[in-house]
Amino acid sequence: MMSDLAQDLADFLTAAPTPYHTVAEGVRRLSAAGFTEQPEAGPWDDGPGGRYLVRDGTLLAWFVPEGAPPGTPLRIFAAHTDSPTLKVKPRPDTGSAGWRQVAVEVYGGALWNSWLDRDLGLAGRLALFDGSTVLVDVRRPLLRVPQLAIHLDRQVNQGLKLDPQDHLLPVWGLGSPAEGDLIGFLAAEAGVDPAEVAAHDLVVHELTPPTRLGEHEELLAGPRLDNLASVHSGLCALLAVADDAAGIIPVFVAFDHEEIGSASATGAAGPLLETVLTRLAGGFDARGVAFATSRCLSVDVTHAAHPNYLGHHDPNHRSVPNGGPAIKVNANQRYATDAPGAAAWHRACRESGVPTQVFVSKNTVPCGSTVGPILSTRLGIRTVDVGIPVLSMHSARELCGVRDPGHLAAAATTFLTDPA
């Protein structure tokens, strides 16, 4: 089972190089399971069954059981679709000294050096003048960010310093750059007229396929584990509880823009989830009762203990691959977990037979944050932060245990139907 789920996660990573492709793959899986679309601007369907709603790179899905009254408690699984990367600028065609290059800027807290000397593809969406968008994915070697040879920088191994304006521009050919070249190429790839492309959202992506690693193949190496590993587990959990939910409305949400602070119309700080939950609760007057009895699982990967840098971790609160998803705690509420929320998570793990760990950052190494504190602040719903351990987080290619995605999906399945 774990092997099959690990392979399914690998397939999911390959199918989802951008938030828009992640949403499209999620919709494909939900539709195959009988979920139907709830148009954001259309009439609200409050009948029983599974539905999903899409806004750009954000996906929501839920299942309403038969006879659910107003004020029915909600169980929410929250993740995010975006990952640190290099994003193409609006005027991408640049270059010098006989090289054609692509102008990019850093998206999120990317580990810059991890993008050097890798074969890179390009993916995203093209926005057309008629208001429609078209997905594009060049899933073959197209770009490369070349590093300077050691002969020209003898001190590079004593400290690599990169200027994101000058040193992270990928090359994609020889000759003189001409405005419109890249978009013309991508329009042809997408089968649209280049003259109809008004704008774009494009990012580079690493092309090496996800692979099993280690003597016993107990590890999974791949791109965008942060945070598609969580998105994948959340979709698996929601589909597992569909038709079986009783007295609970399970909800899945995967936000865009978490890596840059979540402050957007499609981010966790925006109103989208609150609007949907209010409707699911039966309206504004009923949502007070529903929110008071609801819980949210904020799921984002956590730092696996790094064997070469153990001094960066709290010695009593490390997490290791295949040790189960870790509950994440921070005294300053950078994670939203409190004791009752932690108890709900431990109960879900015990009932599903899943091991779990506890992660707390070392006092001298500040932790990051997640959508958890944002959602708990905005909604007032008790929230617990968890995540599977990942090594080399925010690099172009990350590493996790092959059993952990299955552990997370199993515990989340129980959490989404827990009436207590």
Side-chain angles (χ1 to χ4, degrees):
M1 173 182 164
M2 298 301 179
S3 176
D4 291 344
L5 199 76
Q7 183 57 56
D8 192 57
L9 171 57
D11 295 340
F12 188 82
L13 295 173
T14 300
T18 76
Y20 317 111
H21 291 81
T22 301
V23 168
E25 176 62 13
V27 166
R28 185 190 70 79
R29 292 173 178 233
L30 290 164
S31 298
F35 282 62
T36 58
E37 183 175 10
Q38 169 62 64
E40 189 176 0
W44 183 259
D45 185 352
D46 59 2
R51 279 174 290 284
Y52 64 86
L53 183 150
V54 172
R55 183 191 286 182
D56 298 326
T58 292
L59 174 65
L60 291 95
W62 59 90
F63 188 88
V64 178
E66 190 79 40
T72 297
L74 306 156
R75 296 290 181 267
I76 305 157
F77 183 110
H80 68 87
T81 60
D82 60 323
S83 304
T85 184
L86 304 176
K87 185 173 182 178
V88 177
K89 291 183 177 180
R91 298 181 63 185
D93 297 295
T94 188
S96 59
W99 294 95
R100 297 164 74 204
Q101 293 176 275
V102 177
V104 297
E105 59 180 323
V106 177
Y107 177 88
L111 196 60
W112 298 350
N113 67 294
S114 70
W115 292 94
L116 301 178
D117 296 326
R118 289 182 180 270
D119 295 334
L120 303 173
L122 195 61
R125 62 179 179 177
L126 305 176
L128 309 184
F129 279 104
D130 65 7
S132 64
T133 59
V134 178
L135 294 183
V136 62
D137 181 10
V138 182
R139 200 178 296 173
R140 63 180 186 272
L142 179 69
L143 308 170
R144 192 175 183 90
V145 183
Q147 191 169 188
L148 187 64
I150 192 170
H151 313 81
L152 303 178
D153 184 6
R154 294 290 184 179
Q155 301 304 310
V156 64
N157 289 328
Q158 278 66 56
L160 175 65
K161 293 184 178 181
L162 297 172
D163 182 322
Q165 178 68 26
D166 296 331
H167 301 152
L168 295 182
L169 301 186
V171 298
W172 75 300
L174 299 174
S176 299
E179 188 167 353
D181 277 357
L182 183 67
I183 300 307
F185 165 76
L186 293 173
E189 290 283 317
V192 299
D193 183 351
E196 294 304 310
V197 178
H200 55 80
D201 289 307
L202 301 165
V203 298
V204 307
H205 62 93
E206 206 265 351
L207 290 172
T208 307
T211 52
R212 299 282 287 270
L213 187 72
E215 179 186 0
H216 304 293
E217 297 188 339
E218 68 267 48
L219 297 169
L220 177 68
R224 301 178 296 280
L225 290 172
D226 180 11
N227 190 29
L228 297 192
S230 302
V231 174
H232 176 264
S233 291
L235 285 169
C236 290
L238 179 64
L239 293 175
V241 303
D243 295 323
D244 292 330
I248 295 290
I249 298 177
V251 179
F252 165 85
V253 58
F255 294 104
D256 200 356
H257 299 148
E258 190 275 344
E259 295 292 356
I260 55 173
S262 295
S264 73
T266 52
L272 183 59
L273 178 61
E274 182 178 5
T275 299
V276 170
L277 295 183
T278 299
R279 286 175 148 177
L280 289 174
F284 188 84
D285 290 339
R287 80 173 195 174
V289 173
F291 285 16
T293 55
S294 296
R295 281 197 300 275
C296 177
L297 193 66
S298 167
V299 190
D300 202 343
V301 299
T302 192
H303 292 284
H306 198 303
N308 297 340
Y309 299 91
L310 286 179
H312 288 67
H313 302 276
D314 184 290
N316 295 318
H317 296 90
R318 300 170 183 163
S319 62
V320 296
N322 288 330
I327 190 167
K328 300 158 72 172
V329 179
N330 179 257
N332 296 308
Q333 285 292 288
R334 297 289 287 168
Y335 304 131
T337 306
D338 63 7
W345 171 251
H346 286 300
R347 180 170 61 252
C349 289
R350 183 176 66 181
E351 292 181 2
S352 56
V354 168
T356 188
Q357 308 177 73
V358 179
F359 173 82
V360 181
S361 186
K362 185 179 179 181
N363 291 351
T364 55
V365 182
C367 68
S369 192
T370 69
V371 300
I374 297 171
L375 296 180
S376 63
T377 299
R378 183 174 184 104
L379 302 173
I381 292 176
R382 190 181 305 281
T383 302
V384 54
D385 270 294
V386 303
I388 66 169
V390 167
L391 197 65
S392 299
M393 192 189 299
H394 284 204
S395 71
R397 195 165 177 83
E398 300 163 321
L399 193 67
C400 73
V402 295
R403 294 194 296 274
D404 283 333
H407 287 148
L408 175 57
T413 298
T414 303
F415 185 94
L416 287 178
T417 54
D418 181 9

